[in-house]
Amino acid sequence: MTMKTVFKRTDGLTDKPTHYCPGCTHGVIHRLVGEVLEEMDILEDTIGVASVGCSVLSYEYFNCDMTQAAHGRAPAVATGVKRVLPNRFVFTYQGDGDLASIGISEVIHAAARGEKITVIFVNNAIYGMTGGQMAPTTLIGQKTATTPFGRDVAIQGSPIKVCEMIATLDGAAYIERVSTHDVPHIQKAKKAIKKAFETQKKGLGFSMIEILSTCPTNWGLDPVESLDWVKDNMVPVYPLGVYKNSEEVKK
Amino acid sequence: MGKVLMKGNEVIAEAAVHAGCKYFFGYPITPQSELVAYMARRLPEVGGLFLQAESEIAAINMVYGAAGTGVRVMTSSSSPGFSLKQEGISYLVGSELPAVICNIVRGGPGLGNIQPAQSDYYQVTKGGGHGDYNIPVLAPASLQEIVELTQAAFDIADRYRTPVIIMGDGMLGQMMEPVDFGERTEIEQFNKEWATTGTRGDGGPKIITSLELDAESLEKRNQNLQKKFALIRENEVRYETYQTDDADYIMVAFGTVARITMNAINRARHEGIKVGLIRPISLWPFPDKPFIETRDRVKAYISVEMSAGQMIEDVRLAVNGRAPVDFYGRTGGVVPTQEEIYEKIKSVAGGVTI
């Protein structure tokens, strides 16, 4: 009997088991990025930049050269790498605490400069690693360790919509928000990630994919409820879709 | 090439180019901005790249990224900006990446002013950022010396995989002197197999990180770093002595203050006071040897600084209680005069004259 391989591990990831909580979609997103790097045959031409937060150990999971950056600084580190090695693919993998809070300056300016890097921005509306505190992306009314009565606009302000903001910058070439709450959306997320790397390959400018993700542990929900929470609560606040798509290099 | 008249900040930049530095990520701050501007014009001429970052924090992290690819890379700043770079510097040490960072010190604390000072001594020699670490610090006293020390800074950085600091005061950055860059010498090549340049053709993925979640593993890492620091202490001490052989009193000063002190010493010698100078060139590792050699016969050491007294602690450690250690310092960007230092020598020497 001949066996046909219908599904296999991607070469884009190492064999190391990840540390992510059950129901967290970091693992799914890792796999999507790994598959794209493998399918584009660029694993050996890629340098990834890991963040601080839940994805701090992502340098152990991606099967390419990796550098670990300080909290929020990944786009600056990636800038340093890419400016020295313009023919390599450079991506950052950052959560919302890392990117939207302490690192908001670095990501805005990397986008404004049109750095030819790809930012994978994982938004789960909360700080995961430090134990479920408010993120800039925390929804209004959402209870976290530091908004125990729910995020109040009068006190903590409103969520930052990163795609909408970055898309206003001329250096941003491809900006899309996707989600991981069901299989069709996961497939769309992969296409978006591929598009971002292709944008980098063409030298069009800065690309960023924001991916809505789960945090069952800190949300206090089970994995299935968490996927529903993304769909029902996050998607309405963070509308999915392409926010910027430049087909030409900015002169 | 012959001698050219240049400003200190520009000499540092040109010397870096001579040392093979092709990448510079900077942010303007007085009194070092000429260095940044010089690199912006100069690096494209040698096929390099200058990038003005959005902040000192971004600049040092760009340096971190570039250093990880194995190239010679540099940034520079002045005191308040240097404080911001400390985060990235700690990461450079933790990840064992080579880079050169120049700090042209101004008066502080806080925003302070833009006058020359040496009050970042603690910050550059005692770690500065978080964690257990030391960084080689080179303190030139003349623009000519900058040429040699900048080259040395890049070599030390590559040899030990460490950031290296060049520290000067605002006066050194702003003064003009004739400088000879000499013949371009061969740049020493270092093994950089650790660099993250894409894994094509050279084995599996490489990782640059300072994270080590297991306590004992991190302790092991720290022990290895400490071994490296010990090696640097052994090999990279630099200093100069001036008229210390018969000296009853020894002044201790670095950078431009050492030059002013030397003039005061000449005057005191003329008056019959046997006084000499120890000029630390490497602030870390601090040169203990000239103190050990003199401390049992010298009547007193006098540390002269443009600070409220920071290097004096290292002087005391080197003297180890074998002789009195006195101090003269000005702060806030005030440069001590030759006259003031001479008066200090006279008062310590008890007004001894022939």
Side-chain angles (χ1 to χ4, degrees):
Chain A
M1 192 177 81
T2 53
M3 305 274 273
K4 191 181 168 202
T5 303
V6 293
F7 187 79
K8 72 171 189 65
R9 188 182 63 80
T10 171
D11 283 344
L13 298 177
T14 64
D15 289 338
K16 191 157 176 106
T18 66
H19 66 285
Y20 300 115
C21 300
C24 166
T25 44
H26 261 309
V28 172
I29 299 164
H30 275 33
R31 186 175 166 105
L32 297 181
V33 174
E35 283 178 357
V36 166
L37 296 178
E38 183 192 11
E39 286 167 19
M40 288 178 73
D41 193 24
I42 56 172
L43 272 168
E44 291 178 327
D45 293 315
T46 298
I47 297 110
V49 183
S51 62
V52 167
C54 288
S55 54
V56 70
L57 288 171
S58 60
Y59 59 76
E60 295 196 340
Y61 308 142
F62 289 110
N63 193 20
C64 57
D65 279 6
M66 293 291 293
T67 293
Q68 216 292 311
H71 43 195
R73 319 299 179 213
V77 174
T79 296
V81 176
K82 184 74 180 187
R83 291 292 182 129
V84 177
L85 302 170
N87 297 324
R88 297 291 192 273
F89 291 85
V90 179
F91 75 94
T92 74
Y93 189 101
Q94 304 175 258
D96 47 61
D98 189 78
L99 180 141
S101 192
I102 195 165
I104 193 77
S105 165
E106 281 77 6
V107 75
I108 286 175
H109 287 279
R113 286 191 304 267
E115 295 295 342
K116 296 169 187 65
I117 61 172
T118 297
V119 170
I120 306 297
F121 168 41
V122 180
N123 177 4
N124 62 8
I126 204 162
Y127 279 60
M129 178 64 90
T130 47
Q133 298 83 5
M134 184 190 77
T137 48
T138 292
L139 305 185
I140 294 163
Q142 187 181 340
K143 287 184 180 175
T144 72
T146 50
T147 53
F149 312 109
R151 182 174 186 164
D152 181 344
V153 175
I155 299 170
Q156 291 97 5
S158 307
I160 295 180
K161 297 179 179 182
V162 177
C163 281
E164 288 84 335
M165 185 167 65
I166 298 287
T168 64
L169 301 168
D170 289 344
Y174 193 81
I175 307 292
E176 182 171 356
R177 184 183 289 125
V178 294
S179 179
T180 49
H181 66 264
D182 59 26
V183 172
H185 282 91
I186 290 171
Q187 286 170 340
K188 273 187 192 166
K190 183 175 171 183
K191 276 187 190 146
I193 293 166
K194 194 162 196 170
K195 177 85 179 166
F197 277 100
E198 281 166 353
T199 298
Q200 183 176 163
K201 191 175 186 177
K202 289 177 192 164
L204 295 175
F206 179 88
S207 53
M208 183 184 78
I209 305 301
E210 176 176 343
I211 306 170
L212 303 186
S213 177
T214 57
C215 186
T217 301
N218 288 305
W219 291 351
L221 301 173
D222 71 29
V224 176
E225 289 169 346
S226 293
L227 294 171
D228 288 340
W229 198 85
V230 171
K231 183 180 62 178
D232 298 337
N233 295 284
M234 286 186 74
V235 173
V237 177
Y238 299 111
L240 308 180
V242 176
Y243 284 84
K244 188 78 174 280
N245 186 5
S246 303
E247 296 295 345
E248 285 179 18
V249 182
K250 285 272 177 318
K251 297 292 180 199
Chain B
M1 190 173 166
K3 287 200 171 184
V4 283
L5 185 66
M6 285 177 83
K7 206 171 193 179
N9 286 329
E10 296 180 341
V11 175
I12 297 167
E14 184 59 33
V17 172
H18 274 250
C21 171
K22 284 196 174 173
Y23 298 91
F24 187 99
F25 301 91
Y27 189 77
I29 180 171
T30 310
Q32 65 85 51
S33 293
E34 295 88 354
L35 207 170
V36 178
Y38 189 92
M39 285 302 206
R41 182 170 57 77
R42 185 74 173 100
L43 281 176
E45 291 176 359
V46 294
L49 174 115
F50 164 85
L51 189 63
Q52 181 168 324
E54 65 270 26
S55 69
E56 287 89 347
I57 295 170
I60 193 71
N61 282 283
M62 289 172 186
V63 165
Y64 177 96
T69 70
V71 296
R72 288 197 158 180
V73 58
M74 184 180 188
T75 186
S76 65
S77 196
S78 181
S79 307
F82 188 81
S83 295
L84 291 174
K85 289 189 195 288
Q86 292 287 6
E87 169 194 292
I89 293 171
S90 172
Y91 280 74
L92 284 165
V93 175
S95 304
E96 300 197 70
L97 293 179
V100 173
I101 302 136
C102 180
N103 183 7
I104 300 296
V105 182
R106 65 189 238 184
L111 202 48
N113 60 19
I114 57 170
Q115 307 302 322
Q118 297 180 322
S119 45
D120 293 358
Y121 183 91
Y122 283 153
Q123 199 181 27
V124 298
T125 62
K126 312 291 180 193
H130 58 283
D132 281 314
Y133 72 84
N134 286 105
I135 295 180
V137 183
L138 301 175
S142 71
L143 303 205
Q144 188 60 52
E145 196 180 27
I146 286 173
V147 176
E148 179 207 337
L149 291 185
T150 304
Q151 173 80 54
F154 280 99
D155 287 345
I156 292 169
D158 276 345
R159 187 168 298 123
Y160 300 96
R161 288 180 62 183
T162 176
V164 176
I165 294 167
I166 297 171
M167 171 156 154
D169 59 74
M171 184 186 282
L172 193 79
Q174 293 296 320
M175 69 166 70
M176 290 185 85
E177 284 182 328
V179 176
D180 187 349
F181 286 93
E183 292 303 310
R184 189 176 280 268
T185 50
E186 189 95 345
I187 294 162
E188 194 178 341
Q189 295 301 310
F190 294 86
N191 177 355
K192 295 198 172 171
E193 281 173 6
W194 48 265
T196 49
T197 57
T199 59
R200 190 169 293 281
D202 52 3
K206 289 181 285 282
I207 296 170
I208 290 169
T209 181
S210 55
L211 181 69
E212 199 71 72
L213 287 172
D214 176 67
E216 290 192 356
S217 302
L218 183 55
E219 185 177 47
K220 180 87 186 148
R221 238 180 209 251
N222 268 290
Q223 285 164 349
N224 288 336
L225 284 176
Q226 291 300 326
K227 277 183 204 159
K228 174 159 86 178
F229 301 152
L231 207 59
I232 295 172
R233 273 197 192 94
E234 213 170 284
N235 299 330
E236 304 298 340
V237 174
R238 288 164 187 257
Y239 63 93
E240 187 182 67
T241 57
Y242 178 68
Q243 302 208 21
T244 52
D245 286 353
D246 65 341
D248 291 328
Y249 304 94
I250 291 182
M251 316 297 288
V252 191
F254 70 95
T256 49
V257 180
R259 294 169 67 168
I260 303 167
T261 303
M262 216 179 269
N263 289 335
I265 288 170
N266 289 341
R267 185 168 164 195
R269 279 268 171 187
H270 195 69
E271 302 284 327
I273 304 172
K274 288 181 180 172
V275 58
L277 171 75
I278 294 171
R279 176 170 76 91
I281 296 171
S282 59
L283 301 183
W284 191 90
F286 190 77
D288 292 334
K289 193 165 163 248
F291 294 92
I292 292 166
E293 285 169 354
T294 56
R295 65 194 185 189
D296 289 325
R297 60 173 174 79
V298 161
K299 290 178 182 164
Y301 295 86
I302 306 168
S303 188
V304 186
E305 306 174 42
M306 278 197 279
S307 73
Q310 298 191 13
M311 181 177 69
I312 188 173
E313 293 191 0
D314 285 332
V315 174
R316 284 201 182 111
L317 284 171
V319 171
N320 202 20
R322 308 281 186 92
V325 179
D326 213 317
F327 173 73
Y328 185 74
R330 298 297 302 267
T331 65
V334 179
V335 181
T337 64
Q338 180 188 320
E339 180 70 20
E340 290 165 21
I341 299 169
Y342 168 73
E343 288 300 329
K344 179 69 189 179
I345 295 170
K346 254 186 23 177
S347 78
V348 172
V352 178
T353 49
I354 294 170

